[in-house]
Amino acid sequence: TLGSSVQLFATGGIQYLWWPDSALDFNAIANPIASPDSTTGYVVTVTDIFGCVKTDTVRVVVDSLEFFIPTVFTPDGNGFNDVFYVRTENLKEFELLVFDRWGEQVFISRSASSGWDGRKQGNNKEMPQGAYVYSFKGITTSDETVSKSGIINLIR
């Protein structure tokens, strides 16, 4: 996503040169860190010990939608991954729904700071370990509609 970094990798040589170098931490190593602001194709030129030169290309796709949805959480009270959140910024509207395998809604939130703790909303009953369906919708501050649905795995 925008603002993130990714490490690029090349092998087989003694010299490396990456281009464009504008969003790289260093362009003359095998594994630079790329932090582009937009989708970028990086070309690496590799020279081996015999002087042979090869080139290859890797494309780093930058997703401007700034949210992250995990695939698993563990509401076991240890302080790590106890709550399922959609991690996001720059939304003026937000809605997260979670459904059990029978399609019954077990959680709803209209605030990115309020996540699902693995209990059924309303009666506070712990839900069993398993796969649940989530549906996330939002509107960014630039009026872009964002939506995603998928599976969240609850592990106890």
Side-chain angles (χ1 to χ4, degrees):
T1 59
L2 186 63
S4 296
S5 298
V6 64
Q7 189 163 27
L8 307 178
F9 291 95
T11 61
I14 59 170
Q15 279 186 312
Y16 301 88
L17 187 61
W18 292 87
W19 184 88
D21 62 355
S22 58
L24 298 176
D25 64 338
F26 191 64
N27 74 324
I29 59 174
N31 54 348
I33 303 292
S35 305
D37 292 333
S38 61
T39 297
T40 303
Y42 289 98
V43 178
V44 61
T45 302
V46 180
T47 306
D48 70 14
I49 61 172
F50 302 107
C52 295
V53 178
K54 296 282 184 172
T55 61
D56 204 351
T57 305
V58 64
R59 185 173 176 208
V60 176
V61 178
V62 177
D63 187 352
S64 63
L65 302 176
E66 298 178 15
F67 65 90
F68 170 74
I69 303 174
T71 57
V72 66
F73 78 118
T74 56
D76 56 10
N78 70 355
F80 298 102
N81 300 315
D82 286 334
V83 180
F84 169 54
Y85 291 104
V86 174
R87 289 157 178 88
T88 185
E89 297 177 0
N90 303 325
L91 289 182
K92 61 184 183 181
E93 291 184 29
F94 176 94
E95 182 179 72
L96 174 64
L97 300 164
V98 179
F99 302 90
D100 66 15
R101 64 181 171 186
W102 296 282
E104 182 179 349
Q105 181 180 308
V106 296
F107 179 78
I108 184 171
S109 174
R110 291 198 170 80
S111 169
S113 62
S114 176
W116 183 41
D117 65 359
R119 297 176 183 272
K120 184 173 182 178
Q121 240 173 1
N123 68 8
N124 212 28
K125 176 186 169 197
E126 280 191 0
M127 299 302 295
Q129 178 169 302
Y132 292 81
V133 175
Y134 69 83
S135 174
F136 160 68
K137 297 178 194 172
I139 298 178
T140 67
T141 53
S142 58
D143 290 327
E144 184 178 357
T145 300
V146 183
S147 65
K148 184 161 176 78
S149 59
I151 302 292
I152 181 68
N153 292 292
L154 185 157
I155 298 176
R156 294 208 181 269

